């Protein structure tokens, strides 16, 4: 069988881990015993996120994104991060604007005026995978295989600027696209409920929460609410990730702010507008100083920059609860 | 009694897009404008259409008004038939269950190839950089019929896209299949703020089918950087109806975030 490689190997930089290396990490470094893992965001990010890491997260700055963890990464001034930006919105501009991220695997590059200019200026490298391509890479990482085939990406320029490969499918004889597995260093998941061991529940849709937790070397869960383990045993259909995938649990009410947490609080569109309006480094610097550097942590951010009145209002606006309970 | 109605080019584009959707079919809906088109269609014309979103909401009955900028938010996923995630959402299109896909675009070429990545320069050093594919590539690759919704501006209708993000008919007949894309798929209609286009069966080139009532073919074609084929009998598209405008303005987008645009008039 001829293997027809259209792309030449090594032309485009990509993150890849041999599945056996990942398995050995799981064997040796991931604990199986249900020990309490409740820590502060500061401790979780200090312990589990290193300079140069590849980070992936579920959902976006507008809906159930891990915004308190992203802000903590910025506060700790992590460097040279590579972001898996599936459906990313304001996370990419903030991480690039703060000098934390230098590479982005793009599904959706980001929202607002700032990030496109950063790419044009060459301040951040972008690789095009598409949302479906990145989701499949994470699924491959989660299935312990080196790649998965797909019938999209074919025929497009995305093929030339990612490390996707076209070969001849041994079964049909047609061209088929392969995407390499992705095993990020860290996954962030913001969830509705978690217990102290890391069992976690998302109510509503997700992008690839379980896949990302399975595929990543380290997993930080931030949760609106900490509940008893018994809650999971009563309704196991609703468990999104089991505790042994998770390295740290952070209690973070309003952790998705300024985005919406379905059934808990609504999106703060006025705050989002401020993010969208950022056009240059000065505005970005001001935003980051005011909302991230000048407050010690997420609680102080909520107290001083959001306020109890605003939070009450956003909670009141979250009128859609059907399906989320 | 004939009377003059006022509307924006965007309102017209949304209204004519909504009229194209068939009831009882499935449609994979892209970010932004396509969401509004699908909402208007479902509200007025096709109550039994099943919308699918890439973050895994299947068959939602979205709460109005539309919350600008959001797609995965609770309003947009309300009363879905199923909630899943992205790998599963794309499974529904990959196996052929999605009749229609609907996407916006920065640029489109005569074969319906879509650019949503960058304008000008090169990929490594673009003049202007945009969001990229998102899930658009998967929608355009796998849905049976893709509808592209795009403002009618010369800089958007180009002989060759600056970056081919989502596949149309690539470089002509048979090219999709040769590249490995599923048989029988591809762009179906291009809905613009002035006209409606299809694709010629033989050459797969974009073909002008009809124009907004009151516009001439020349007025439509002069705003394109390539010359489309012309259907033998070019039809006329009625302007937005009172109902379409009312639902758009009062129920879907009262803040006029999406529907604002260039003012147009028509005699009705």
């Amino acid at each position: 069988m001829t293997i027809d490689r259209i792309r030449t190997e090594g032309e485009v930089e990509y993150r890849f881990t041999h599945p056996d290396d990942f398995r050995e990490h799981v064997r040796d470094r991931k604990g199986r015993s249900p020990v309490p893992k409740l820590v502060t965001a500061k401790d979780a990010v200090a312990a589990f996120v290193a300079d140069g890491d590849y980070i992936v997260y579920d959902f976006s700055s507008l809906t159930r994104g891990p915004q308190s963890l992203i802000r903590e990464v910025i506060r700790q001034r992590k460097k040279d991060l590579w972001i898996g930006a599936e459906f990313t919105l304001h996370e990419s501009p903030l991480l690039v604007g703060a000098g934390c991220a230098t590479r982005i695997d793009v599904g959706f590059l980001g929202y607002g005026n700032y990030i496109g200019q950063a790419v044009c200026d060459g301040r951040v490298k972008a690789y095009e995978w598409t949302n479906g391509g990145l989701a499949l890479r994470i699924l491959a990482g989660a299935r312990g295989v080196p790649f998965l085939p797909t019938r999209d990406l074919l025929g497009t320029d995305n093929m030339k600027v990612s490390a996707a490969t076209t070969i001849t499918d041994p079964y049909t004889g047609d061209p088929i696209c392969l995407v390499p597995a992705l095993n990020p260093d860290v996954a962030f998941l913001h969830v509705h409920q978690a217990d102290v061991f890391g069992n976690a529940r998302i109510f509503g849709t997700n992008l690839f929460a379980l896949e990302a937790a399975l595929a990543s070397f380290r997993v930080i869960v931030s949760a609106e609410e900490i509940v008893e383990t018994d809650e999971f045993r009563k309704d196991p259909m609703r468990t999104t990730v089991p505790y042994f995938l998770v390295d740290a649990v952070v209690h973070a009410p309003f952790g998705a702010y300024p985005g919406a947490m379905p059934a808990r609080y609504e999106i703060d569109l006025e705050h989002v507008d401020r993010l969208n309006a950022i056009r240059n480094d000065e505005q970005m610097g001001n935003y980051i100083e005011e909302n991230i550097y000048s407050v010690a942590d997420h609680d102080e951010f909520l107290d001083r920059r959001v306020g109890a009145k605003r939070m009450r209002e956003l909670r009141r606006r979250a009128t859609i609860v059907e399906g989320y309970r | 009694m004939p009377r003059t109605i006022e509307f924006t080019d965007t309102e017209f584009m949304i209204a004519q897009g909504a009229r194209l959707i068939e009831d009882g079919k499935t449609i994979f809906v892209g970010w932004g404008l396509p969401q509004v088109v699908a909402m208007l269609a479902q509200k007025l014309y096709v109550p039994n259409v099943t919308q699918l979103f890439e973050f895994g909401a299947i068959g939602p009955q979205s709460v109005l008004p539309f919350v600008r900028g959001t797609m995965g938010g609770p309003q947009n996923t309300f009363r879905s038939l199923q909630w899943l995630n992205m790998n599963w959402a794309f499974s529904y299109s990959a196996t052929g269950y999605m009749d229609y896909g609907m996407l916006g675009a920065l640029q489109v070429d005569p074969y319906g190839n879509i650019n949503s990545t960058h304008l000008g320069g090169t990929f490594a050093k673009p003049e202007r950089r945009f969001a990229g594919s998102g899930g658009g590539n998967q929608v355009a690759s796998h849905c049976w019929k893709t509808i592209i919704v795009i403002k009618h501006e010369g800089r958007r209708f180009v002989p060759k896209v600056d970056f081919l993000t989502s596949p149309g008919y690539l470089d002509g007949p048979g090219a999709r299949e040769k590249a490995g894309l599923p048989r029988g798929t591809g762009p179906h209609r291009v809905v613009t703020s002035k006209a409606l286009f299809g694709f010629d069966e033989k050459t797969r080139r974009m073909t002008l089918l009809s124009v907004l009532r009151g516009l001439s073919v020349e007025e439509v074609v002069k705003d394109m950087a390539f010359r489309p084929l012309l259907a033998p009998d070019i039809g006329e598209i009625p302007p937005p109806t009172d109902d379409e405008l009312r639902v758009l303005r009062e129920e879907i987008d009262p803040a006029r975030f999406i529907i604002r645009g260039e003012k147009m008039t028509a005699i009705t």
Side-chain angles (χ1 to χ4, degrees):
Chain A
M1 185 68 63
T2 35
I3 300 294
D4 167 25
R5 261 183 205 284
I6 290 172
R7 193 191 69 82
T8 49
E9 193 82 50
E11 188 187 344
V12 177
E13 184 182 31
Y14 62 105
R15 166 66 187 250
F16 184 74
T17 306
H18 193 292
D20 281 349
D21 293 340
F22 185 75
R23 286 176 54 85
E24 283 166 14
H25 170 86
V26 167
R27 182 188 63 197
D28 300 337
R29 306 287 297 275
K30 299 287 277 195
R32 312 293 196 274
S33 119
V35 295
K37 296 162 192 162
L38 195 59
V39 293
T40 63
K42 191 174 178 180
D43 289 349
V45 169
F48 296 111
V49 183
D51 289 351
D53 272 357
Y54 192 109
I55 294 185
V56 72
Y57 44 83
D58 195 60
F59 241 124
S60 76
S61 55
L62 303 185
T63 304
R64 202 183 44 71
Q67 300 315 305
S68 64
L69 294 177
I70 299 279
R71 286 188 288 264
E72 184 57 32
V73 166
I74 293 170
R75 195 173 290 119
Q76 294 190 20
R77 297 172 200 255
K78 300 290 180 186
K79 292 277 177 270
D80 198 25
L81 301 176
W82 190 340
I83 318 168
E86 174 168 290
F87 216 71
T88 185
L89 296 167
H90 300 110
E91 297 87 354
S92 294
L94 283 170
L95 288 165
V96 170
C100 300
T102 48
R103 287 174 284 191
I104 307 178
D105 281 337
V106 177
F108 192 94
L109 177 65
Y111 212 41
N113 299 295
Y114 185 87
I115 187 68
Q117 193 58 46
V119 173
C120 294
D121 296 345
R123 293 169 52 189
V124 58
K125 284 187 200 155
Y127 306 107
E128 299 297 309
W129 290 97
T130 77
N131 279 353
L134 277 179
L136 200 67
R137 290 191 65 195
I138 295 276
L139 179 61
R143 290 297 308 268
V145 294
F147 64 84
L148 281 172
T150 180
R151 295 183 76 194
D152 39 60
L153 294 163
L154 293 159
T156 66
D157 288 339
N158 298 296
M159 292 294 293
K160 301 174 196 156
V161 292
S162 72
T165 301
T166 306
I167 66 159
T168 303
D169 169 7
Y171 297 100
T172 63
D174 296 335
I176 187 88
C177 173
L178 308 182
V179 294
L182 179 55
N183 293 100
D185 291 302
V186 194
F188 294 160
L189 306 179
H190 185 62
V191 305
H192 287 79
Q193 297 178 333
D195 70 8
V196 296
F197 308 110
N199 292 301
R201 280 173 167 171
I202 288 168
F203 299 158
T205 61
N206 66 89
L207 300 186
F208 46 25
L210 176 58
E211 293 99 304
L214 274 163
S216 296
F217 284 82
R218 300 179 292 279
V219 177
I220 304 177
V221 162
S222 62
E224 290 289 325
E225 189 186 356
I226 303 296
V227 299
E228 294 297 322
T229 305
D230 213 36
E231 292 298 312
F232 292 88
R233 297 201 179 277
K234 282 185 206 159
D235 195 3
M237 276 289 285
R238 308 203 72 171
T239 306
T240 308
V241 299
Y243 76 93
F244 52 86
L245 305 179
V246 175
D247 295 282
V249 179
V250 176
H251 186 205
F254 267 86
Y257 180 90
M261 190 71 187
R264 299 296 176 97
Y265 47 88
E266 253 307 321
I267 183 172
D268 188 342
L269 277 174
E270 286 169 37
H271 193 100
V272 165
D273 284 344
R274 290 181 56 202
L275 281 160
N276 288 343
I278 294 172
R279 283 178 183 276
N280 56 43
D281 286 335
E282 192 192 344
Q283 290 164 352
M284 178 60 83
N286 290 341
Y287 177 88
I288 290 173
E289 181 59 37
E290 182 188 340
N291 294 287
I292 302 174
Y293 292 158
S294 72
V295 288
D297 55 24
H298 180 59
D299 285 346
E300 192 176 313
F301 168 71
L302 293 180
D303 282 350
R304 297 214 176 163
R305 302 290 180 261
V306 185
K309 190 177 163 199
R310 186 73 177 155
M311 287 190 277
R312 264 200 310 279
E313 167 66 16
L314 296 172
R315 259 191 228 109
R316 193 185 59 73
R317 281 191 209 165
T319 51
I320 296 168
V321 295
E322 189 179 313
Y324 295 99
R325 294 277 155 98
Chain B
M1 273 292 278
R3 61 193 166 91
T4 303
I5 56 163
E6 282 189 10
F7 52 90
T8 67
D9 56 349
T10 318
E11 286 171 330
F12 169 62
M13 180 164 59
I14 294 167
Q16 68 145 329
R19 298 171 198 159
L20 289 180
I21 299 175
E22 286 180 88
D23 207 13
K25 300 285 186 182
T26 50
I27 182 163
F28 205 137
V29 183
W31 166 280
L33 260 179
Q35 291 177 263
V36 176
V37 173
M39 281 174 182
L40 181 66
Q42 189 134 35
K43 180 85 192 168
L44 284 182
Y45 303 124
V46 287
N48 297 309
V49 79
T50 296
Q51 301 183 35
L52 172 72
F53 291 90
E54 59 179 302
F55 51 79
I58 293 153
Q61 297 175 337
S62 304
V63 176
L64 306 182
F66 172 69
V67 181
R68 59 191 166 88
T70 67
M71 189 155 114
Q75 284 85 355
N76 205 101
T77 59
F78 189 56
R79 291 187 70 81
S80 295
L81 294 168
Q82 190 180 27
W83 278 340
L84 287 168
N85 69 12
M86 198 170 271
N87 280 311
W88 283 112
F90 290 133
S91 299
Y92 288 98
S93 51
T95 49
Y97 279 101
M98 287 297 123
D99 299 312
Y100 289 94
M102 185 175 282
L103 295 172
L106 279 177
Q107 279 184 332
V108 64
D109 76 7
Y111 293 111
N113 297 308
I114 292 173
N115 172 20
S116 40
T117 304
H118 76 87
L119 293 178
T122 61
F123 174 78
K125 203 153 179 43
E127 280 168 28
R128 292 185 70 197
R129 168 72 213 212
F130 296 84
S133 164
N137 175 281
Q138 281 71 37
V139 173
S141 295
H142 287 160
C143 294
W144 290 109
K145 295 173 174 181
T146 302
I147 298 172
I148 302 163
V149 186
I150 185 169
K151 281 240 189 196
H152 200 101
E153 297 167 341
R155 62 198 173 102
R156 292 177 179 272
F157 287 80
V158 293
K160 189 175 185 315
V161 287
D162 294 3
F163 185 93
L164 204 170
T165 312
S166 303
Y169 292 107
L170 302 178
D171 59 4
R176 280 177 73 92
E177 291 78 1
K178 199 172 153 224
L181 291 164
R183 271 200 301 270
T185 58
H188 172 63
R189 291 287 183 269
V190 181
V191 175
T192 84
S193 42
K194 290 187 174 173
L196 177 69
F197 299 83
F199 291 86
D200 179 58
E201 290 278 331
K202 277 207 193 100
T203 63
R204 293 303 191 193
R205 288 179 73 91
M206 202 186 291
T207 305
L208 180 62
L209 299 180
S210 39
V211 301
L212 171 61
R213 184 191 295 159
L215 290 181
S216 70
V217 169
E218 254 337 287
E219 279 172 293
V220 166
V221 172
K222 76 174 169 47
D223 282 337
M224 300 171 75
F226 63 86
R227 197 165 171 90
L229 303 180
L230 304 180
D233 187 14
I234 291 177
E236 64 166 37
I237 313 164
T241 65
D242 292 340
D243 262 357
E244 287 164 347
L245 290 175
R246 181 186 55 75
V247 171
L248 277 176
R249 291 170 184 178
E250 293 173 21
E251 296 182 38
I252 295 179
D253 189 20
R256 305 209 170 191
F257 184 77
I258 298 281
I259 63 176
R260 66 193 169 196
E262 200 182 314
K263 278 216 168 75
M264 303 177 86
T265 57
I267 313 269
T268 184

